[in-house]
Amino acid sequence: MKLIFIGPPGSGKGTQAKRLASRFAIPHISTGDMLREAVADGTALGQQAAPIMASGGLVSDDLMIGIINDRLAKSDAGRGFILDGFPRTIVQAEKLDGLVGNGEEPLRVLQLLVPDDAIVRRITLRRTCASCGAIYHLENNPPANDSVCDRCGAEVIARADDTEEAVRKRLESFHRQTMPVAAYYKSKNVLREVDGIGPVDEVFERIEKSLA
Ligand code: AP5
């Protein structure tokens, strides 16, 4: 399966993509996670991306396409993959078509629908494990022990871009730059829309049904 998750910030792409990747035993490729790793490692890419991400803007298409090109060339992606956070612009979508669009397995695209007014609360109460990337929510799914990850015991923190101000900017870029990507895939008849409101298990069931 070659699957793309599209959705606004905080719509549950990471939460659902991790589950689906483990169900199908294919890699979950999150460009946000890859960038955050580069920031944590202090690489040249990370230094370039950090201020853009913290302000809620988008990293340049050239950089992102280079990252995805390298990642999809790795052998584990040959079995299929779930892309989370890419493509986010029409330029990225067209480039991805050139990279993988002609294979036997067609690209499938799943759009998670969550209205803007639900997003800010989800994001400002999100906590993420600094080590394994597990995703929590202080109300819906808190770690058992305050700021310690249930899965690996590392510290659970708020992301640098999870401020209300940055979230509003991320939402604005989603509507302006990424909604046209959803329309692009709709016109190719490969897009399925899934309601992202409701308990995580219910949303997962809807996703499984829509992929069946
Ligand atoms: P990225 O990491 O991709 O961020 P995003 O798209 O803004 O999405 P999020 O990770 O914030 O949310 P999510 O949809 O994964 O939701 P989650 O499952 O965590 O990108 C970050 C930045 O990197 C970008 O702003 C940009 O600067 C840069 N970047 C990345 N890719 C790029 C690209 N291709 N081009 C250019 N720049 C790029 O869930 C959110 C919260 O809600 C959690 O607390 C979770 O527990 C909770 N939750 C999940 N599901 C539910 C539910 N059903 N009900 C209630 N709560 C729920």
Side-chain angles (χ1 to χ4, degrees):
M1 170 159 21
K2 294 177 185 169
L3 181 67
I4 296 170
F5 263 101
I6 291 185
S11 54
K13 302 182 296 295
T15 301
Q16 300 294 344
K18 281 182 205 300
R19 284 189 172 204
L20 213 55
S22 108
R23 168 73 53 96
F24 288 102
I26 52 177
H28 165 215
I29 300 177
S30 158
T31 43
D33 286 351
M34 291 163 90
L35 289 170
R36 280 184 287 280
E37 213 176 295
V39 172
D41 292 346
T43 63
L45 166 67
Q47 286 173 20
Q48 217 173 322
I52 302 171
M53 293 170 76
S55 74
L58 288 188
V59 175
S60 77
D61 286 335
D62 282 352
L63 269 181
M64 297 314 301
I65 289 162
I67 291 173
I68 281 295
N69 196 7
D70 291 350
R71 181 61 187 86
L72 294 181
K74 293 196 175 163
S75 60
D76 63 340
R79 296 194 311 268
F81 50 78
I82 299 177
L83 281 180
D84 162 7
F86 187 98
R88 261 179 153 94
T89 64
I90 291 287
V91 173
Q92 293 179 14
E94 288 174 346
K95 203 69 191 183
L96 184 65
D97 277 350
L99 290 176
V100 297
N102 299 323
E104 283 167 25
E105 184 68 36
L107 278 176
R108 303 172 79 179
V109 184
L110 211 140
Q111 182 181 6
L112 279 177
L113 304 176
V114 176
D116 287 5
D117 54 13
I119 294 294
V120 175
R121 190 157 186 81
R122 278 197 187 183
I123 293 253
T124 49
L125 294 179
R126 168 171 51 194
R127 296 295 181 268
T128 309
C129 174
S131 175
C132 74
I135 301 168
Y136 299 93
H137 188 275
L138 292 182
E139 277 178 0
N140 309 331
N141 175 31
N145 184 358
D146 277 350
S147 53
V148 176
C149 179
D150 295 348
R151 203 191 295 164
C152 75
E155 193 186 4
V156 170
I157 53 166
R159 270 170 43 179
D161 59 346
D162 279 354
T163 62
E164 194 165 336
E165 194 190 352
V167 171
R168 298 215 181 272
K169 178 140 186 235
R170 284 156 63 194
L171 272 172
E172 190 269 326
S173 35
F174 173 75
H175 288 293
R176 190 166 44 83
Q177 291 174 280
T178 310
M179 279 305 285
V181 174
Y184 173 83
Y185 288 122
K186 201 167 195 170
S187 74
K188 290 174 173 265
N189 249 334
V190 293
L191 182 92
R192 296 274 180 283
E193 293 174 340
V194 172
D195 180 4
I197 290 288
V200 169
D201 289 346
E202 258 176 44
V203 176
F204 188 68
E205 271 175 37
R206 286 179 209 141
I207 290 172
E208 285 192 307
K209 267 190 200 146
S210 100
L211 292 174

PDB file of all heavy atoms in Angstrom, residues 41-70:
ATOM      1  N   ASP A  41      19.142  16.975  16.307  1.00  0.00           N
ATOM      2  CA  ASP A  41      20.533  16.597  16.046  1.00  0.00           C
ATOM      3  C   ASP A  41      21.405  17.803  15.681  1.00  0.00           C
ATOM      4  O   ASP A  41      22.612  17.664  15.514  1.00  0.00           O
ATOM      5  CB  ASP A  41      20.606  15.579  14.887  1.00  0.00           C
ATOM      6  CG  ASP A  41      19.995  14.237  15.291  1.00  0.00           C
ATOM      7  OD1 ASP A  41      19.776  14.043  16.503  1.00  0.00           O
ATOM      8  OD2 ASP A  41      19.731  13.408  14.397  1.00  0.00           O
ATOM      9  N   GLY A  42      20.760  18.954  15.451  1.00  0.00           N
ATOM     10  CA  GLY A  42      21.531  20.166  15.113  1.00  0.00           C
ATOM     11  C   GLY A  42      22.178  20.113  13.745  1.00  0.00           C
ATOM     12  O   GLY A  42      23.201  20.756  13.512  1.00  0.00           O
ATOM     13  N   THR A  43      21.612  19.348  12.799  1.00  0.00           N
ATOM     14  CA  THR A  43      22.196  19.271  11.455  1.00  0.00           C
ATOM     15  C   THR A  43      21.927  20.584  10.708  1.00  0.00           C
ATOM     16  O   THR A  43      21.125  21.416  11.155  1.00  0.00           O
ATOM     17  CB  THR A  43      21.553  18.126  10.635  1.00  0.00           C
ATOM     18  OG1 THR A  43      20.163  18.442  10.468  1.00  0.00           O
ATOM     19  CG2 THR A  43      21.680  16.784  11.340  1.00  0.00           C
ATOM     20  N   ALA A  44      22.567  20.741   9.535  1.00  0.00           N
ATOM     21  CA  ALA A  44      22.368  21.959   8.734  1.00  0.00           C
ATOM     22  C   ALA A  44      20.888  22.095   8.364  1.00  0.00           C
ATOM     23  O   ALA A  44      20.309  23.183   8.441  1.00  0.00           O
ATOM     24  CB  ALA A  44      23.235  21.900   7.481  1.00  0.00           C
ATOM     25  N   LEU A  45      20.279  20.959   7.991  1.00  0.00           N
ATOM     26  CA  LEU A  45      18.859  20.975   7.658  1.00  0.00           C
ATOM     27  C   LEU A  45      18.034  21.436   8.861  1.00  0.00           C
ATOM     28  O   LEU A  45      17.143  22.285   8.746  1.00  0.00           O
ATOM     29  CB  LEU A  45      18.400  19.562   7.231  1.00  0.00           C
ATOM     30  CG  LEU A  45      16.890  19.336   7.167  1.00  0.00           C
ATOM     31  CD1 LEU A  45      16.266  20.164   6.042  1.00  0.00           C
ATOM     32  CD2 LEU A  45      16.567  17.855   6.980  1.00  0.00           C
ATOM     33  N   GLY A  46      18.360  20.887  10.031  1.00  0.00           N
ATOM     34  CA  GLY A  46      17.622  21.229  11.241  1.00  0.00           C
ATOM     35  C   GLY A  46      17.733  22.710  11.573  1.00  0.00           C
ATOM     36  O   GLY A  46      16.750  23.350  11.958  1.00  0.00           O
ATOM     37  N   GLN A  47      18.948  23.259  11.396  1.00  0.00           N
ATOM     38  CA  GLN A  47      19.141  24.678  11.714  1.00  0.00           C
ATOM     39  C   GLN A  47      18.338  25.564  10.766  1.00  0.00           C
ATOM     40  O   GLN A  47      17.829  26.610  11.144  1.00  0.00           O
ATOM     41  CB  GLN A  47      20.615  25.030  11.645  1.00  0.00           C
ATOM     42  CG  GLN A  47      21.366  24.460  12.845  1.00  0.00           C
ATOM     43  CD  GLN A  47      22.866  24.645  12.750  1.00  0.00           C
ATOM     44  OE1 GLN A  47      23.334  25.494  11.992  1.00  0.00           O
ATOM     45  NE2 GLN A  47      23.608  23.858  13.488  1.00  0.00           N
ATOM     46  N   GLN A  48      18.234  25.107   9.515  1.00  0.00           N
ATOM     47  CA  GLN A  48      17.462  25.876   8.539  1.00  0.00           C
ATOM     48  C   GLN A  48      15.962  25.774   8.841  1.00  0.00           C
ATOM     49  O   GLN A  48      15.219  26.745   8.739  1.00  0.00           O
ATOM     50  CB  GLN A  48      17.726  25.288   7.151  1.00  0.00           C
ATOM     51  CG  GLN A  48      17.802  26.323   6.061  1.00  0.00           C
ATOM     52  CD  GLN A  48      18.244  25.657   4.757  1.00  0.00           C
ATOM     53  OE1 GLN A  48      19.085  24.759   4.751  1.00  0.00           O
ATOM     54  NE2 GLN A  48      17.673  26.098   3.665  1.00  0.00           N
ATOM     55  N   ALA A  49      15.533  24.559   9.212  1.00  0.00           N
ATOM     56  CA  ALA A  49      14.091  24.312   9.368  1.00  0.00           C
ATOM     57  C   ALA A  49      13.528  24.841  10.690  1.00  0.00           C
ATOM     58  O   ALA A  49      12.357  25.238  10.742  1.00  0.00           O
ATOM     59  CB  ALA A  49      13.811  22.808   9.265  1.00  0.00           C
ATOM     60  N   ALA A  50      14.347  24.869  11.753  1.00  0.00           N
ATOM     61  CA  ALA A  50      13.822  25.158  13.101  1.00  0.00           C
ATOM     62  C   ALA A  50      12.999  26.446  13.181  1.00  0.00           C
ATOM     63  O   ALA A  50      11.853  26.419  13.656  1.00  0.00           O
ATOM     64  CB  ALA A  50      14.949  25.161  14.121  1.00  0.00           C
ATOM     65  N   PRO A  51      13.532  27.607  12.721  1.00  0.00           N
ATOM     66  CA  PRO A  51      12.733  28.836  12.875  1.00  0.00           C
ATOM     67  C   PRO A  51      11.478  28.826  12.017  1.00  0.00           C
ATOM     68  O   PRO A  51      10.441  29.362  12.420  1.00  0.00           O
ATOM     69  CB  PRO A  51      13.695  29.952  12.430  1.00  0.00           C
ATOM     70  CG  PRO A  51      14.794  29.290  11.695  1.00  0.00           C
ATOM     71  CD  PRO A  51      14.864  27.877  12.157  1.00  0.00           C
ATOM     72  N   ILE A  52      11.546  28.183  10.852  1.00  0.00           N
ATOM     73  CA  ILE A  52      10.363  28.129   9.970  1.00  0.00           C
ATOM     74  C   ILE A  52       9.275  27.314  10.651  1.00  0.00           C
ATOM     75  O   ILE A  52       8.105  27.700  10.703  1.00  0.00           O
ATOM     76  CB  ILE A  52      10.732  27.482   8.609  1.00  0.00           C
ATOM     77  CG1 ILE A  52      11.855  28.258   7.930  1.00  0.00           C
ATOM     78  CG2 ILE A  52       9.509  27.364   7.707  1.00  0.00           C
ATOM     79  CD1 ILE A  52      12.432  27.575   6.705  1.00  0.00           C
ATOM     80  N   MET A  53       9.661  26.144  11.194  1.00  0.00           N
ATOM     81  CA  MET A  53       8.671  25.274  11.850  1.00  0.00           C
ATOM     82  C   MET A  53       8.074  25.954  13.080  1.00  0.00           C
ATOM     83  O   MET A  53       6.868  25.924  13.292  1.00  0.00           O
ATOM     84  CB  MET A  53       9.327  23.955  12.259  1.00  0.00           C
ATOM     85  CG  MET A  53       9.751  23.117  11.076  1.00  0.00           C
ATOM     86  SD  MET A  53      10.754  21.734  11.593  1.00  0.00           S
ATOM     87  CE  MET A  53       9.530  20.633  12.282  1.00  0.00           C
ATOM     88  N   ALA A  54       8.936  26.575  13.887  1.00  0.00           N
ATOM     89  CA  ALA A  54       8.442  27.189  15.126  1.00  0.00           C
ATOM     90  C   ALA A  54       7.433  28.290  14.835  1.00  0.00           C
ATOM     91  O   ALA A  54       6.517  28.527  15.617  1.00  0.00           O
ATOM     92  CB  ALA A  54       9.611  27.733  15.941  1.00  0.00           C
ATOM     93  N   SER A  55       7.582  28.952  13.671  1.00  0.00           N
ATOM     94  CA  SER A  55       6.654  30.047  13.357  1.00  0.00           C
ATOM     95  C   SER A  55       5.398  29.524  12.656  1.00  0.00           C
ATOM     96  O   SER A  55       4.468  30.290  12.418  1.00  0.00           O
ATOM     97  CB  SER A  55       7.354  31.077  12.467  1.00  0.00           C
ATOM     98  OG  SER A  55       7.478  30.546  11.165  1.00  0.00           O
ATOM     99  N   GLY A  56       5.390  28.236  12.274  1.00  0.00           N
ATOM    100  CA  GLY A  56       4.208  27.672  11.618  1.00  0.00           C
ATOM    101  C   GLY A  56       4.245  27.775  10.105  1.00  0.00           C
ATOM    102  O   GLY A  56       3.255  27.512   9.440  1.00  0.00           O
ATOM    103  N   GLY A  57       5.390  28.146   9.537  1.00  0.00           N
ATOM    104  CA  GLY A  57       5.513  28.236   8.077  1.00  0.00           C
ATOM    105  C   GLY A  57       5.894  26.891   7.461  1.00  0.00           C
ATOM    106  O   GLY A  57       6.051  25.893   8.170  1.00  0.00           O
ATOM    107  N   LEU A  58       6.040  26.873   6.145  1.00  0.00           N
ATOM    108  CA  LEU A  58       6.420  25.639   5.445  1.00  0.00           C
ATOM    109  C   LEU A  58       7.881  25.704   5.000  1.00  0.00           C
ATOM    110  O   LEU A  58       8.333  26.729   4.493  1.00  0.00           O
ATOM    111  CB  LEU A  58       5.550  25.418   4.198  1.00  0.00           C
ATOM    112  CG  LEU A  58       4.101  25.000   4.392  1.00  0.00           C
ATOM    113  CD1 LEU A  58       3.474  24.639   3.044  1.00  0.00           C
ATOM    114  CD2 LEU A  58       3.971  23.834   5.361  1.00  0.00           C
ATOM    115  N   VAL A  59       8.576  24.601   5.176  1.00  0.00           N
ATOM    116  CA  VAL A  59       9.954  24.468   4.701  1.00  0.00           C
ATOM    117  C   VAL A  59       9.898  24.412   3.163  1.00  0.00           C
ATOM    118  O   VAL A  59       8.890  23.982   2.585  1.00  0.00           O
ATOM    119  CB  VAL A  59      10.574  23.193   5.319  1.00  0.00           C
ATOM    120  CG1 VAL A  59      11.967  22.923   4.779  1.00  0.00           C
ATOM    121  CG2 VAL A  59      10.601  23.323   6.850  1.00  0.00           C
ATOM    122  N   SER A  60      10.989  24.820   2.498  1.00  0.00           N
ATOM    123  CA  SER A  60      10.926  24.970   1.032  1.00  0.00           C
ATOM    124  C   SER A  60      10.676  23.632   0.318  1.00  0.00           C
ATOM    125  O   SER A  60      11.083  22.561   0.784  1.00  0.00           O
ATOM    126  CB  SER A  60      12.235  25.580   0.512  1.00  0.00           C
ATOM    127  OG  SER A  60      13.231  24.590   0.483  1.00  0.00           O
ATOM    128  N   ASP A  61      10.010  23.722  -0.813  1.00  0.00           N
ATOM    129  CA  ASP A  61       9.709  22.523  -1.603  1.00  0.00           C
ATOM    130  C   ASP A  61      10.990  21.768  -1.966  1.00  0.00           C
ATOM    131  O   ASP A  61      11.038  20.540  -1.879  1.00  0.00           O
ATOM    132  CB  ASP A  61       8.971  22.914  -2.893  1.00  0.00           C
ATOM    133  CG  ASP A  61       7.523  23.305  -2.621  1.00  0.00           C
ATOM    134  OD1 ASP A  61       6.960  22.845  -1.608  1.00  0.00           O
ATOM    135  OD2 ASP A  61       6.959  24.074  -3.422  1.00  0.00           O
ATOM    136  N   ASP A  62      12.021  22.488  -2.373  1.00  0.00           N
ATOM    137  CA  ASP A  62      13.263  21.823  -2.796  1.00  0.00           C
ATOM    138  C   ASP A  62      13.832  20.947  -1.689  1.00  0.00           C
ATOM    139  O   ASP A  62      14.216  19.791  -1.920  1.00  0.00           O
ATOM    140  CB  ASP A  62      14.323  22.862  -3.203  1.00  0.00           C
ATOM    141  CG  ASP A  62      14.052  23.403  -4.596  1.00  0.00           C
ATOM    142  OD1 ASP A  62      13.146  22.863  -5.263  1.00  0.00           O
ATOM    143  OD2 ASP A  62      14.737  24.362  -4.986  1.00  0.00           O
ATOM    144  N   LEU A  63      13.889  21.519  -0.476  1.00  0.00           N
ATOM    145  CA  LEU A  63      14.434  20.743   0.650  1.00  0.00           C
ATOM    146  C   LEU A  63      13.570  19.512   0.916  1.00  0.00           C
ATOM    147  O   LEU A  63      14.076  18.398   1.087  1.00  0.00           O
ATOM    148  CB  LEU A  63      14.449  21.599   1.913  1.00  0.00           C
ATOM    149  CG  LEU A  63      15.704  22.400   2.211  1.00  0.00           C
ATOM    150  CD1 LEU A  63      15.541  23.176   3.514  1.00  0.00           C
ATOM    151  CD2 LEU A  63      16.920  21.480   2.309  1.00  0.00           C
ATOM    152  N   MET A  64      12.242  19.707   0.934  1.00  0.00           N
ATOM    153  CA  MET A  64      11.344  18.604   1.280  1.00  0.00           C
ATOM    154  C   MET A  64      11.385  17.502   0.226  1.00  0.00           C
ATOM    155  O   MET A  64      11.365  16.314   0.558  1.00  0.00           O
ATOM    156  CB  MET A  64       9.907  19.104   1.450  1.00  0.00           C
ATOM    157  CG  MET A  64       9.704  20.084   2.584  1.00  0.00           C
ATOM    158  SD  MET A  64      10.483  19.616   4.145  1.00  0.00           S
ATOM    159  CE  MET A  64       9.724  18.043   4.491  1.00  0.00           C
ATOM    160  N   ILE A  65      11.460  17.903  -1.038  1.00  0.00           N
ATOM    161  CA  ILE A  65      11.487  16.895  -2.111  1.00  0.00           C
ATOM    162  C   ILE A  65      12.777  16.080  -2.018  1.00  0.00           C
ATOM    163  O   ILE A  65      12.777  14.861  -2.187  1.00  0.00           O
ATOM    164  CB  ILE A  65      11.321  17.592  -3.478  1.00  0.00           C
ATOM    165  CG1 ILE A  65       9.875  18.099  -3.612  1.00  0.00           C
ATOM    166  CG2 ILE A  65      11.676  16.646  -4.630  1.00  0.00           C
ATOM    167  CD1 ILE A  65       9.668  19.166  -4.676  1.00  0.00           C
ATOM    168  N   GLY A  66      13.873  16.755  -1.692  1.00  0.00           N
ATOM    169  CA  GLY A  66      15.152  16.044  -1.526  1.00  0.00           C
ATOM    170  C   GLY A  66      15.061  15.014  -0.406  1.00  0.00           C
ATOM    171  O   GLY A  66      15.503  13.860  -0.541  1.00  0.00           O
ATOM    172  N   ILE A  67      14.448  15.412   0.708  1.00  0.00           N
ATOM    173  CA  ILE A  67      14.326  14.501   1.862  1.00  0.00           C
ATOM    174  C   ILE A  67      13.486  13.273   1.489  1.00  0.00           C
ATOM    175  O   ILE A  67      13.836  12.132   1.785  1.00  0.00           O
ATOM    176  CB  ILE A  67      13.639  15.248   3.044  1.00  0.00           C
ATOM    177  CG1 ILE A  67      14.567  16.319   3.603  1.00  0.00           C
ATOM    178  CG2 ILE A  67      13.212  14.290   4.133  1.00  0.00           C
ATOM    179  CD1 ILE A  67      13.899  17.212   4.648  1.00  0.00           C
ATOM    180  N   ILE A  68      12.364  13.509   0.812  1.00  0.00           N
ATOM    181  CA  ILE A  68      11.464  12.396   0.455  1.00  0.00           C
ATOM    182  C   ILE A  68      12.101  11.493  -0.602  1.00  0.00           C
ATOM    183  O   ILE A  68      11.990  10.265  -0.549  1.00  0.00           O
ATOM    184  CB  ILE A  68      10.097  12.952  -0.017  1.00  0.00           C
ATOM    185  CG1 ILE A  68       9.271  13.345   1.203  1.00  0.00           C
ATOM    186  CG2 ILE A  68       9.325  11.968  -0.877  1.00  0.00           C
ATOM    187  CD1 ILE A  68       8.871  12.168   2.116  1.00  0.00           C
ATOM    188  N   ASN A  69      12.776  12.108  -1.534  1.00  0.00           N
ATOM    189  CA  ASN A  69      13.466  11.336  -2.564  1.00  0.00           C
ATOM    190  C   ASN A  69      14.428  10.332  -1.906  1.00  0.00           C
ATOM    191  O   ASN A  69      14.409   9.131  -2.226  1.00  0.00           O
ATOM    192  CB  ASN A  69      14.240  12.326  -3.453  1.00  0.00           C
ATOM    193  CG  ASN A  69      14.664  11.707  -4.747  1.00  0.00           C
ATOM    194  OD1 ASN A  69      14.265  10.580  -5.048  1.00  0.00           O
ATOM    195  ND2 ASN A  69      15.487  12.401  -5.505  1.00  0.00           N
ATOM    196  N   ASP A  70      15.229  10.809  -0.958  1.00  0.00           N
ATOM    197  CA  ASP A  70      16.197   9.940  -0.275  1.00  0.00           C
ATOM    198  C   ASP A  70      15.476   8.870   0.545  1.00  0.00           C
ATOM    199  O   ASP A  70      15.868   7.708   0.554  1.00  0.00           O
ATOM    200  CB  ASP A  70      17.076  10.756   0.684  1.00  0.00           C
ATOM    201  CG  ASP A  70      18.008  11.687  -0.076  1.00  0.00           C
ATOM    202  OD1 ASP A  70      18.097  11.566  -1.318  1.00  0.00           O
ATOM    203  OD2 ASP A  70      18.627  12.561   0.577  1.00  0.00           O
TER     204      ASP A  70
END
